[in-house]
Amino acid sequence: MTTPATRSASEGEKFIGAPRHRWRWIALICVIACLSRSAVFVRYFDSFAEDPDAYYALASGLVERGEFGTDRQRAYRPPLYPLVVTADVAVDRLTDSAVGRGITIGFLQILFGVATVLLTERTCRNLGLGNWSYAAALIVALDPILLRYTAYVMTEVFSAFLAALLLWLISMLSVTPNAAAPGRKRIGDNGSMSEEKLSPSDDPLLTSRGFDEGDSWRPVPVLRKYGLPLAIGVVFGLCVLCRPTFAAFGLLAAALWAFWNVRSLVRGQVRLLAPAMIVLGFSLAINPWVIRNTMVFNRPVMLTTHGGYTLLLGNNPTFYNEVVRQPMGTVWSAESLHRWQFLQSSIDHPFIYHCFADLDGKRADFRPLEFEPADYPFDITKELDPNSPLVELHIDSYQRKRAIVNIRRDPSGAARAIILRLSRLWSPVPIGPAREGIPAIAIWGVGIWNAAVFLLAAIGLVLVALRRRRQFLPAILLILAFTAVHTLYWANARMRAPLVPAIAVLAAIPLLEANRWHKSRFVK
């Protein structure tokens, strides 16, 4: 006689097959990811010659001079991705360009893409999504943004890999596989661990990895207690060194943890070992960059000096008038954008007598334009040595303050800009220059694919909220953190690339629930 739990488990096995065959399915999805990325790599190989964010130039400086940045921009970009790109530069130099620029970094980004697929599947398994983890893996494998930017020297693919690695490590905190006694260690409201004995018939969102796979592997207790939180901290630090926006995720997570444990903290009843190990890991990863910046600027800089520019880029009168207040779909023309950037070069450097800018394809030597310091209620005429590293910090601060003044002077334009930035961040179809050279049918296909994935993820978010499944909170917090940052900072669709693994996790939840509802209604 079979129990409901045994019958449910048997039915679940029929869906994909016995546990020993399941690696065949994820291997197939990884092959799809590899082939699709390889096709993009070949089709858009010429894109590697471009360097829109100067990461290749930074990597070249590291290889050739052993220096990061330039005389005027020493911490303008985060350092981790240029370190990855140095592999391409080094191979190109060692082979005397016989291998060619882009071959090595392209190969690495294909590997990062496949690894992102595998990590997403493993994360979903840990969170109890069972065989529908393959759906999440497939969503990542075929994501249009991750595919397209495989052929660019940009952080999209690498940051998505780091995000998937971070989510996987965090998901390991909520599962302890054990074939002999299927259950799972779960994090309680006060941060304590408790074990629940579960069955697939109870709730598919609570199915443990140990029950689902019959895997007897168990982390060494000491490694789990100390090593896993330490690894989470290290990987989180690497995420920040790749995309500083990840720092907002850490702040949200810390604030939420403190909120849940405020009473225990006051009473001294909460265990601080795991948070302390995470902080230690983060410090180990981020400190070399902070120490280097302290030596350069004589003051610590944890992130970059690029934040002021990206805040001002999305909050200035030209952008408000030429894009925000125009019909939906209007993009900032290249001519107007270059002119604005040209003017910023002159205004932002009032203490530098000569600088160069590329305007309409011509190199021009110009002197700073006249401006009125009274236009801004802060000092922008501070005398500095043009060769001083502090100039970079001064410009970053100055641009940030200008953006804040612009927001206060034009609150309606700033409010409409927030809506525009969010629509660009979550646009299902490419906009502006991003859609150039793409056939209309492909744009429609991308739009339908993204709209379907977004809809599934939204339903998954509702299900998580209704059932209060806290194991999915890291994925949700990651999405919220990036979205919150880009309400103020410049945004477009490629900036959601690190969120693809989190979106895929949420999108798999309603598929699992729909399958469960179908079986309960039609399968006897």
Side-chain angles (χ1 to χ4, degrees):
M1 181 176 179
T2 61
T3 64
T6 305
R7 183 169 61 250
S8 178
S10 301
E11 293 169 356
E13 291 296 333
K14 295 178 182 179
F15 174 64
I16 292 296
R20 65 180 179 274
H21 297 307
R22 288 176 180 166
W23 277 102
R24 297 180 182 179
W25 291 96
I26 187 58
L28 175 61
I29 297 174
C30 287
V31 169
I32 293 173
C34 183
L35 292 178
S36 58
R37 282 156 175 76
S38 298
V40 171
F41 170 78
V42 174
R43 171 65 178 82
Y44 295 101
F45 182 76
D46 291 343
S47 299
F48 284 112
E50 304 173 13
D51 194 17
D53 290 338
Y55 286 119
Y56 200 91
L58 291 172
S60 298
L62 283 169
V63 172
E64 296 171 358
R65 305 186 308 275
E67 299 177 358
F68 183 82
T70 65
D71 291 339
R72 290 175 55 189
Q73 295 182 341
R74 295 169 175 86
Y76 195 67
R77 295 288 183 185
L80 187 58
Y81 187 65
L83 289 174
V84 175
V85 180
T86 55
D88 189 274
V89 177
V91 170
D92 188 51
R93 300 293 189 272
L94 291 174
T95 60
D96 196 20
S97 299
V99 173
R101 171 174 170 172
I103 295 292
T104 305
I105 188 62
F107 176 73
L108 288 175
Q109 295 200 148
I110 291 173
L111 290 182
F112 289 141
V114 174
T116 304
V117 171
L118 182 59
L119 288 168
T120 302
E121 192 273 342
R122 293 287 87 190
T123 300
C124 290
R125 285 250 173 228
N126 289 343
L127 296 177
L129 294 179
N131 292 326
W132 290 100
S133 302
Y134 300 126
L138 190 62
I139 288 173
V140 175
L142 299 178
D143 182 76
I145 292 179
L146 296 185
L147 285 175
R148 181 66 180 91
Y149 283 93
T150 299
Y152 275 95
V153 187
M154 301 178 76
T155 62
E156 276 64 33
V157 173
F158 186 52
S159 62
F161 161 72
L162 290 175
L165 180 58
L166 180 63
L167 291 176
W168 173 67
L169 288 172
I170 295 174
S171 73
M172 294 293 290
L173 290 174
S174 63
V175 60
T176 302
N178 185 357
R184 185 179 61 185
K185 297 282 187 179
R186 297 197 58 207
I187 301 176
D189 293 348
N190 62 351
S192 62
M193 305 295 294
S194 61
E195 181 171 345
E196 293 181 314
K197 302 295 184 180
L198 304 171
S199 159
S201 61
D202 294 333
D203 189 338
L205 296 186
L206 294 179
T207 304
S208 72
R209 176 173 173 257
F211 190 95
D212 196 51
E213 295 190 16
D215 187 358
S216 60
W217 176 85
R218 177 189 291 273
V220 178
V222 174
L223 180 62
R224 178 181 177 83
K225 188 175 182 180
Y226 300 100
L228 189 55
L230 183 68
I232 290 173
V234 170
V235 172
F236 173 60
L238 296 179
C239 289
V240 173
L241 291 176
C242 178
R243 282 272 186 105
T245 311
F246 277 101
F249 167 70
L251 292 175
L252 273 182
L256 188 61
W257 180 86
F259 175 76
W260 279 344
N261 294 278
V262 60
R263 293 184 179 179
S264 299
L265 286 170
V266 172
R267 298 172 183 174
Q269 297 175 343
V270 66
R271 295 181 179 180
L272 298 175
L273 178 61
M277 296 304 295
I278 292 175
V279 172
L280 175 61
F282 175 74
S283 300
L284 291 175
I286 204 80
N287 276 349
W289 174 244
V290 176
I291 293 172
R292 178 263 184 189
N293 289 337
T294 302
M295 296 173 64
V296 171
F297 300 108
N298 292 322
R299 63 187 67 178
V301 176
M302 181 178 293
L303 302 179
T304 67
T305 58
H306 186 57
Y309 172 78
T310 53
L311 183 63
L312 181 60
L313 184 63
N315 294 280
N316 63 83
T318 303
F319 179 68
Y320 290 167
N321 295 329
E322 297 190 13
V323 181
V324 174
R325 289 191 168 91
Q326 300 304 314
M328 183 63 68
T330 301
V331 297
W332 204 346
S333 68
E335 180 181 359
S336 175
L337 175 60
H338 291 163
R339 184 182 299 110
W340 180 84
Q341 292 172 329
F342 179 87
L343 294 176
Q344 302 320 302
S345 296
S346 55
I347 294 176
D348 294 345
H349 301 36
F351 35 77
I352 297 178
Y353 295 103
H354 295 280
C355 52
F356 293 83
D358 190 345
L359 186 62
D360 298 329
K362 298 180 180 180
R363 304 295 292 183
D365 184 6
F366 65 94
R367 292 181 179 275
L369 302 180
E370 295 295 331
F371 63 93
E372 293 296 334
D375 287 346
Y376 301 97
F378 47 83
D379 179 20
I380 59 175
T381 59
K382 184 177 180 180
E383 293 293 335
L384 289 174
D385 178 1
N387 297 319
S388 171
L390 295 179
V391 169
E392 183 176 348
L393 298 180
H394 178 77
I395 293 172
D396 181 49
S397 175
Y398 167 51
Q399 290 177 325
R400 184 179 297 107
K401 291 176 181 178
R402 284 183 58 197
I404 294 174
V405 169
N406 291 335
I407 293 172
R408 290 175 176 173
R409 285 185 170 182
D410 190 355
S412 63
R416 295 177 63 176
I418 290 175
I419 298 174
L420 178 65
R421 281 189 290 270
L422 292 179
S423 68
R424 297 281 173 87
L425 179 66
W426 293 103
S427 173
V429 297
I431 297 176
R435 64 189 299 157
E436 292 178 359
I438 302 178
I441 188 172
I443 292 177
W444 275 98
V446 168
I448 293 173
W449 171 270
N450 283 330
V453 171
F454 291 168
L455 178 60
L456 287 173
I459 297 174
L461 180 62
V462 172
L463 291 173
V464 169
L466 291 177
R467 300 189 176 188
R468 298 182 180 181
R469 301 305 184 215
R470 291 187 176 182
Q471 65 266 38
F472 294 97
L473 268 178
I476 297 173
L477 288 181
L478 186 63
I479 294 173
L480 290 177
F482 271 69
T483 302
V485 169
H486 288 293
T487 56
L488 293 177
Y489 288 79
W490 183 261
N492 52 39
R494 70 178 179 84
M495 294 181 181
R496 70 169 185 261
L499 304 181
V500 172
I503 295 170
V505 169
L506 294 179
I509 295 174
L511 297 177
L512 176 67
E513 284 295 293
N515 181 66
R516 183 196 185 200
W517 176 84
H518 172 78
K519 285 184 176 181
S520 66
R521 189 174 181 87
F522 299 105
V523 178
K524 302 297 183 181

